[in-house]
């Protein structure tokens, strides 16, 4: 093990030790984060949930949690992934995958500025990209990525939301090859790809436009160019050693790895000229139809691959010390900051110099056939002694950068032009990503910086072996950064973005119009409520409205039947969902929004009478919102019958 690595690991342990909290907070902090009851926060903060697979939404500056948006993981609270309508959202080429690991957030942008339309998230494990509609705060589309493993450098976005990208963290044998190869043939058989997913400007729908075939390195993070560098994309990568075992040591051998510079406008030209090769692959593409209240999943069969070996002037490698993680472009698009986890400096690259080096062919040889630009020729300069373990950089509206230092547990503020360190503040502890509202856009809103930490020892009341995950809010409106709030988060927060609240709140959907409900199983009023048998399937078309179900007594189901409860919420009032649950169902509840239809599948496992009820406290008579369903023996001649309010005694 190299000594630098040993030192860093040692320092990691020291850094994780609790420090005194006396220096933690500035005197006027409470006033700065206090949002009085009934008042709204200034920003929405969309925070990735890491291994929870979800995204959560907080208010800034209060740190109040508003919502957890289910994305890649099932969510019994909302019935997501449990209702028949939402199950297809989690379909993949591997079948139903009810969990993932969501690291990064990308809010849609127009002209490089947040537009409040969609937020994208990546699934790291079974490579996927999701789109959430900010009118409903619901996941409306998920696309799987072929030729990929560990979709980490994703879903970063171009300045007019033309594309979100997906880069492989794990290189793998390509999907159309016989993947049954010895793992130690990594160098021959494993490749990396970066995918460009086209966003339809009107609908937001995603489609993989092309993939670029690359050497078997580990792509880590990425950022689009903007302003003058619009048309380019930058991806950090580590493991240029192309090791396949004990990466901890074996991928940290070289002094420099790379940032990949992709000229995606050039790639588009090649695509238009028919230069891509169609490859047979298999990946799921899942979409939620807001009128049908229902998702469909289709299996796509082809992807277009561009190979830089045949296509010049499309990709270049730029040396970057050492195992770079974050790769961030400043608001002007001129500067690209590489953060080498094991580097003692932070290199800042100049887009103008990159263009000149390319024009002059100032190369330092090639890497697997791809030109490597000379480090000195593309460097704007290095931030000296920034701290230890630089990971990620965000920007304010005054030409300053904020870099998280994982090992030394601090945030360092520095000037992009002069590269001078201006300020540093401790974080508690081991900070990962940072978020400045608008920080990755052309127009940072400044004011706050939020740090998402990996370790929280001693910051919150203990909760057993696993402690609260945490974020810390800093005021960056002055010269000095000031810690003003700690708040716990859901899952493990990685990246987050924050956006002025009014860009989102004004578009919020309040209800779904019942007359526009096109769900095939809708019952648009009590007159349409019914129970129908189709072979061994029993379909219950049920309505809910304060405070009853129609029907609330159902008989004629037999053991061995599969029962589908299609529940339509007839309410047309904001914030009046009804829930639905039945005893013993190997399923979650449904939570049905006003005007929406959702379906719960239930396979009764025994004979008897089963209660069902509304799970969401919807009115003073919510506890009365209940019913029964009777299950008889197989072959029983109890006829299908259903009613609400029928008090006729049985003879
Ligand atoms: S990462 S803590 Cu998965 Cu974005 Cu850097
Ligand atoms: Cu409906 Cu409670």
């Amino acid at each position: 093990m190299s000594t630098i690595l040993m030192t860093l690991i040692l320092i990691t342990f020291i850094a994780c030790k609790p420090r005194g909290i006396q220096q933690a907070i500035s005197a006027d902090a409470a006033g700065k984060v206090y949002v009085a009851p009934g008042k709204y926060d200034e920003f929405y903060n969309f925070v990735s949930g890491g291994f929870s697979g979800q995204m959560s939404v907080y208010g800034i500056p209060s740190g109040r949690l508003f919502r957890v948006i289910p994305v890649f993981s099932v969510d019994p609270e909302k019935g997501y992934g449990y209702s028949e309508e939402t199950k297809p959202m989690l379909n993949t080429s591997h079948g139903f995958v009810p969990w993932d690991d969501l690291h990064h957030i990308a809010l849609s942008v127009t002209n490089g500025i947040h537009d409040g339309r969609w937020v994208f998230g990546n699934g790291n494990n079974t490579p996927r990209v999701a789109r959430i509609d900010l009118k409903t705060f619901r996941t409306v589309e998920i696309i799987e990525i072929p030729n990929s493993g560990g979709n980490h450098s994703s879903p970063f976005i171009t300045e007019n939301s033309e594309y979100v990208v997906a880069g492989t963290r794990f290189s793998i044998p390509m999907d159309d090859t016989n993947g049954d190869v010895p793992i130690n043939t990594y160098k021959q058989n494993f490749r990396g790809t970066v995918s460009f997913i086209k966003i339809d400007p009107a609908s937001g729908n995603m489609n993989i436009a092309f993939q670029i075939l690359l050497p078997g390195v580990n792509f880590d993070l990425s950022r689009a160019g903007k302003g003058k560098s619009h048309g380019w994309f930058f991806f950090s990568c580590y493991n240029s050693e192309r090791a396949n075992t004990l990466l901890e040591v074996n991928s940290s051998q070289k002094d420099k790895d790379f940032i990949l510079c992709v000229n995606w406008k050039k790639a588009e030209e090649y695509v238009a000229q028919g230069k891509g090769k169609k490859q047979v692959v298999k990946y799921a593409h899942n979409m939620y139809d807001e009128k049908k209240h229902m998702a469909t999943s289709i299996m796509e069969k082809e992807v277009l691959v561009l190979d830089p070996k045949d296509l010049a002037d499309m990709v270049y490698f730029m040396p970057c010390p050492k195992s770079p993680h974050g790769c961030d472009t400043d608001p002007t698009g001129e500067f690209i900051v590489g953060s080498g986890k094991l580097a003692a400096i932070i290199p800042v690259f100049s887009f103008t110099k990159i263009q000149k080096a390319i024009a002059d062919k100032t190369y330092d040889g090639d890497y697997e056939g791809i030109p490597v630009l000379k480090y000195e020729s593309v460097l704007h300069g290095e931030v000296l002694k920034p701290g230890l373990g630089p990971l990620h950089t965000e920007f304010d509206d005054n030409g300053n950068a904020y870099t998280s230092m994982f090992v030394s547990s601090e945030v360092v503020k520095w000037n992009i032009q002069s590269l001078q360190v201006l300020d540093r503040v401790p974080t508690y502890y081991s900070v990962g990503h940072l978020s400045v509202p608008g920080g990755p856009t052309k127009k940072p809103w400044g004011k706050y910086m939020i740090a998402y930490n990996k370790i929280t020892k001693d910051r919150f009341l203990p909760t057993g072996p696993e402690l609260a995950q945490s974020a810390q809010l800093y005021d960056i409106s002055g010269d000095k950064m000031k810690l003003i709030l700690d708040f716990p988060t859901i899952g493990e927060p990685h990246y987050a973005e924050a956006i002025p609240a009014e860009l989102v709140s004004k578009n919020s959907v309040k209800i779904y119009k019942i007359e526009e409900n096109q769900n095939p199983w809708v019952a648009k009023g009590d007159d349409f409520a019914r129970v129908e048998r189709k072979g061994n399937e029993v379909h219950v078309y049920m309505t809910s409205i304060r405070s009853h179900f129609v029907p609330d007594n159902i008989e004629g189901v037999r053991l061995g039947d599969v029962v589908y409860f299609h529940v339509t919420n007839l309410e047309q009032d904001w914030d009046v969902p009804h829930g639905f649950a039945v005893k013993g169902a190997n399923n979650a509840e449904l939570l049905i929004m006003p005007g929406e239809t959702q379906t719960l599948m239930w396979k009764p496992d025994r004979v008897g009478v089963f209660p069902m009820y509304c799970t969401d406290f919807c009115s003073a008579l919510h506890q009365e919102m209940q019913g029964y369903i009777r299950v008889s023996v197989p072959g029983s001649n109890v006829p299908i019958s259903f009613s609400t309010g029928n008090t006729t005694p049985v003879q």
Side-chain angles (χ1 to χ4, degrees):
M1 188 183 295
S2 73
T3 40
I4 173 158
L5 207 62
M6 293 261 278
T7 321
L8 283 171
I9 289 168
L10 206 71
I11 294 165
T12 309
F13 283 119
I14 295 164
C16 296
K17 281 239 188 80
R19 300 181 186 187
I21 50 170
Q22 63 281 3
Q23 57 190 329
I25 200 119
S26 65
D28 52 348
K32 288 191 166 151
V33 301
Y34 184 68
V35 178
K39 296 280 186 243
Y40 291 159
D41 277 282
E42 191 180 348
F43 294 98
Y44 283 104
N45 189 198
F46 292 89
V47 183
S48 70
F51 46 71
S52 83
Q54 318 295 41
M55 208 180 271
S56 43
V57 188
Y58 299 82
I60 297 295
S62 72
R64 298 180 295 187
L65 172 65
F66 298 145
R67 190 163 184 82
V68 175
I69 304 172
V71 183
F72 295 114
S73 298
V74 292
D75 182 358
E77 180 196 352
K78 302 175 182 75
Y80 180 81
Y82 291 96
S83 72
E84 295 307 298
E85 282 83 356
T86 55
K87 278 179 185 171
M89 289 305 287
L90 301 178
N91 193 37
T92 72
S93 62
H94 303 271
F96 182 74
V97 178
W99 170 87
D100 219 304
D101 181 16
L102 195 164
H103 281 216
H104 303 122
I105 304 281
L107 284 165
S108 57
V109 275
T110 302
N111 296 323
I113 299 171
H114 282 154
D115 59 21
R117 301 172 79 192
W118 309 298
V119 56
F120 298 84
N122 66 322
N124 240 334
N125 181 52
T126 304
R128 288 176 273 182
V129 171
R131 179 171 59 92
I132 289 111
D133 191 325
L134 291 180
K135 292 196 294 296
T136 57
F137 284 57
R138 281 185 158 183
T139 305
V140 291
E141 188 173 6
I142 292 181
I143 194 163
E144 193 182 355
I145 313 296
N147 289 328
S148 175
N151 176 37
H152 193 262
S153 53
S154 177
F156 300 96
I157 194 161
T158 56
E159 75 172 31
N160 285 298
S161 305
E162 294 95 338
Y163 296 99
V164 291
V165 298
T168 48
R169 167 182 163 195
F170 295 100
S171 283
I172 47 165
M174 293 294 91
D175 289 1
D176 67 341
T177 62
N178 172 14
D180 181 10
V181 295
I183 297 166
N184 66 12
T185 63
Y186 185 100
K187 286 189 174 132
Q188 298 92 283
N189 289 322
F190 289 50
R191 306 298 295 275
T193 57
V194 297
S195 306
F196 281 72
I197 303 164
K198 186 94 194 138
I199 309 301
D200 183 89
S203 65
N205 287 346
M206 302 187 281
N207 271 299
I208 302 176
F210 57 87
Q211 293 191 314
I212 301 176
L213 186 64
L214 292 158
V217 295
N218 294 38
F219 290 98
D220 207 10
L221 284 142
S222 51
R223 280 293 183 194
K226 46 180 164 311
K228 59 166 67 166
S229 55
H230 180 59
W232 288 75
F233 225 109
F234 306 95
F235 294 81
S236 64
C237 60
Y238 61 101
N239 194 21
S240 54
E241 297 83 354
R242 288 185 296 148
N244 64 279
T245 183
L246 197 64
L247 262 62
E248 174 184 24
V249 175
N250 294 331
S251 76
S252 308
Q253 298 301 312
K254 294 192 182 173
D255 270 352
K256 293 194 176 67
D257 292 279
F258 297 117
I259 287 174
L260 176 79
C261 309
V262 177
N263 181 344
W264 60 259
K265 293 266 184 189
K266 192 79 195 169
E268 281 183 332
E269 282 172 28
Y270 287 137
V271 169
Q273 292 160 12
K275 297 273 173 68
K277 290 204 181 85
K278 285 188 179 151
Q279 194 188 105
V280 177
V281 289
K282 195 177 155 194
Y283 60 99
H285 188 180
N286 312 328
M287 289 218 254
Y288 195 79
D289 181 323
E290 304 239 316
K291 292 271 187 288
K292 291 190 174 144
H293 303 290
M294 185 178 231
T296 46
S297 175
I298 54 167
M299 216 42 86
E300 306 269 12
K301 297 195 176 62
E302 228 175 47
V303 71
L304 195 69
V305 178
L306 299 177
D307 189 342
K309 287 229 163 82
D310 315 325
L311 305 170
D313 308 328
M314 181 172 64
V315 292
Y316 302 88
F317 278 119
M318 185 159 79
C320 184
K322 173 172 186 175
S323 300
H325 187 60
C327 167
D328 297 289
T329 47
D330 86 315
T332 67
E334 167 63 11
F335 299 112
I336 301 108
V337 180
S339 298
K341 305 187 285 274
L342 305 177
I345 50 106
I346 301 172
V348 180
F349 301 97
S350 149
F351 181 71
T352 309
K353 288 187 175 178
I354 292 170
Q355 293 309 299
K356 182 156 191 320
I358 290 170
D360 299 348
K361 295 197 176 353
T362 317
Y363 298 156
D364 203 352
D366 72 295
Y367 180 80
E368 297 297 301
I370 294 169
V372 175
L373 304 172
K374 221 178 180 49
Y375 179 69
E376 295 73 20
S377 72
V378 292
L379 192 70
H380 162 62
E382 295 172 340
V383 182
L384 302 177
K385 300 205 178 129
L388 290 168
L391 286 188
H392 296 284
T393 302
E394 288 270 305
F395 304 92
D396 68 13
D397 45 347
N398 290 316
N400 300 314
Y402 300 78
T403 301
S404 56
M405 298 287 164
F406 178 81
V407 176
S408 51
S409 283
E410 59 187 335
V411 179
V412 172
K413 175 183 177 182
W414 50 277
N415 183 275
I416 305 168
Q417 275 296 344
S418 73
L419 305 168
Q420 293 304 308
V421 171
L422 302 173
D423 190 24
R424 52 180 74 236
V425 283
T427 58
Y428 307 93
Y429 306 93
S430 301
V431 56
H433 279 271
L434 303 174
S435 170
V436 171
T441 72
K442 274 183 175 171
K443 186 177 174 180
W445 311 97
K447 200 158 176 179
Y448 301 110
M449 181 265 295
I450 310 144
Y452 303 90
N453 303 336
K454 303 299 185 191
I455 293 166
T456 60
K457 255 176 242 182
D458 89 355
R459 296 300 286 181
F460 297 104
L461 285 172
T463 51
E466 195 197 4
L467 300 179
Q469 300 279 344
S470 110
Q472 295 194 294
L473 180 71
Y474 295 81
D475 176 354
I476 57 165
S477 58
D479 287 346
K480 297 283 169 197
M481 298 176 276
K482 286 186 194 153
L483 176 62
I484 52 177
L485 183 71
D486 277 14
F487 61 99
T489 60
I490 305 268
E492 187 203 356
H494 285 256
Y495 189 49
E497 284 204 47
I499 179 172
E502 74 271 8
L503 288 180
V504 173
S505 61
K506 61 175 190 229
N507 299 324
S508 202
V509 164
K510 297 187 170 68
I511 59 159
Y512 298 102
K513 289 193 182 125
I514 187 77
E515 63 272 19
E516 290 175 4
N517 182 326
Q518 293 169 13
N519 186 289
W521 302 305
V522 66
K524 290 192 182 178
D526 294 350
D527 295 348
F528 302 97
R530 64 202 185 275
V531 179
E532 289 172 356
R533 171 176 288 287
K534 281 188 193 143
N536 74 332
E537 290 182 2
V538 174
H539 291 266
V540 179
Y541 299 84
M542 186 183 260
T543 61
S544 60
I545 195 160
R546 283 163 287 182
S547 299
H548 61 271
F549 294 109
V550 177
D552 70 1
N553 276 237
I554 300 164
E555 303 199 6
V557 174
R558 303 176 198 133
L559 194 62
D561 285 345
V562 181
V563 182
Y564 292 90
F565 296 97
H566 309 292
V567 187
T568 300
N569 179 350
L570 297 176
E571 305 282 354
Q572 294 286 272
D573 246 357
W574 196 10
D575 201 23
V576 191
H578 291 289
F580 179 80
V582 60
K583 182 187 172 188
N586 295 330
N587 208 332
E589 64 158 358
L590 298 174
L591 191 65
I592 312 128
M593 298 304 124
E596 184 184 46
T597 304
Q598 290 285 290
T599 299
L600 185 93
M601 184 188 73
W602 176 51
K603 292 180 186 162
D605 71 322
R606 65 191 71 170
V607 162
V609 171
F610 296 79
M612 49 196 191
Y613 74 104
C614 171
T615 51
D616 189 341
F617 209 110
C618 50
S619 71
L621 296 173
H622 154 80
Q623 285 296 82
E624 283 68 17
M625 198 166 173
Q626 64 166 58
Y628 292 102
I629 182 163
R630 174 181 170 192
V631 178
S632 303
V633 293
S636 135
N637 56 13
V638 175
I640 290 280
S641 68
F642 54 92
S643 61
T644 293
N646 184 356
T647 51
T648 318
V650 179
Q651 300 308 311

